[in-house]
Amino acid sequence: MAVAAAAQALPNPLTEGLERLPVPPTTLSIFGATGDLARRKLLPALYNLAHEGALPQRFNLIGIARKEMSDEEFRGFAREAITSFSRRRPDPQVLEELLGRLRYVGFGFGDQDGYPKLKAAIEALDADAGMLLNRVHYLSTAPGYFGTIMESLKAADMNWHADVDVRVIVEKPFGSDLASARELQAVVSAAFREQQVFRIDHYLGKETVQNVLAFRFANFLFEPVWNRNYIDHVQITAAEDLGIGSRAGYYDASGALRDLVQNHMLQLLTLLCMEPPTSFDADKVRDEKVKVLDAIRPLRPDEVARNTVRGQYLAGAIGGEDVPGYLEEDGVPADSGTETYAALRLEVNNWRWAGVPIFLRTGKRLARKVTEIAVQLKPVPHMAFQDDGAVGVRPNQLVLTVQPNEGVSISMGAKVPGTRMSIRPVNMEFLYGTTFMSQSPEAYERLITDAMRGDATLFTRNDEVDAQWSIIDPILSAWHASEAPPEPYEAGSEGPPEADALLGAGRSWRTL
Ligand code: BG6
């Protein structure tokens, strides 16, 4: 007991001085409030925050969309969304209390007369509260509207307030290549200061993604091997069994590289490879992440074919059900060359990582949904075991599973009980589900409260976005210029066989 108490009393250098600030009184305006993201993610996240008492006492939500709708109709929409998609069954009292805080203002995002109406609605809520509330504008619209909304907020004098904080949350994608991201950034910086801007990458809100930092920087055990002397290679996988659903319009113009690699996967890479920040201050963390991205040398056009693979799914079967191929999906042009699978080999050229290949792969309609980071160590330098003994010895693998079966596992060689020295890989595992016995919050719950609180640690800074696109742009251009179609792979498979060659001799992808 004494030991435990003493341990508790020790200051924790990671969290010291970082007590979570309370969420200040806020009016949140969601542009695109009747869209899919609001329905499936944002409204249910707000309900769960309300359920946990994590919303400020003074909190209002204004939904904005083109459709004419009364407050009551919007509440009906939100009630249905929350009931269908909340991770917990809604408590009627909490739900009705939250719905009571909802308002709706209908206008097209390009309609300049709409913004003064929104401003009046926000000010009316201040008047009801008898105080000024912070303003957070959430842009959950098609990306084509981001610039228009920012400019219009500025024109209506809604981008800044002398007495309260005004923030803007921008959904992804932030641009569709380096040039368009820079154009959008120019509009953003004309209307808002960087500290006001919260660019979403919902992977950063996932508990298990944040655990990459905890795992690396709250443990001493792994640091000595976390470098090119001990690590052979890294595999980052974001596989999905789902197809593109009803998103053909968006997806066909995007493809796997823009949809998942440019943002989520590069974020996973930076968290895995960054140096320890001196503190968990938003800018200190993001400075370290940018250094990693800057250390990835963009591929030259002649290197792209050797270091990347793109694929497109054919018809197949998943979970015993037949599914169509990408070209047969509703809304996809019959001759589309869009990739639904991408695999890349990158290198982080700094002292810690030089020479360690980092492989990324993502795809739709693969064998199963799994997101994980696998770090494979080098083989032991000398195999003392003879014959049988040496057969089962495999390099250690450390796997951080982001989803599902969230956890961390470490593989190691162990002696099989018996009179002979035979060795087999065994796993040491930590699973969130059984260790903490609680359901993790959805990423959006964490991100919405962080943005309301003004903590930008889990949001992408402008220079990060720029650096991400600088890595992706040359690949996009080379793929675009190439006559070759994407490699076909069967739905429900491990992806195109061509991806195996990317790894090089003696390495193989982890089975999905
Ligand atoms: C989104 C992509 O950003 O992430 C989707 O646009 C993808 O295509 C999704 O399905 C995956 O997110 P998650 O949280 O389900 O892994």
Side-chain angles (χ1 to χ4, degrees), residues 172 202-203 206 240 247 250-251 259-260 264 364 369 371 403:
K172 55 184 180 289
H202 79 278
Y203 267 49
K206 290 181 191 274
E240 295 183 275
R247 299 164 79 213
Y250 155 76
Y251 196 87
D259 188 43
L260 251 112
H264 310 324
K364 300 273 183 201
K369 175 154 178 104
T371 307
Q403 59 193 13

Side-chain angles (χ1 to χ4, degrees), residues 287 402 486 510:
D287 288 347
V402 171
R510 284 170 50 81

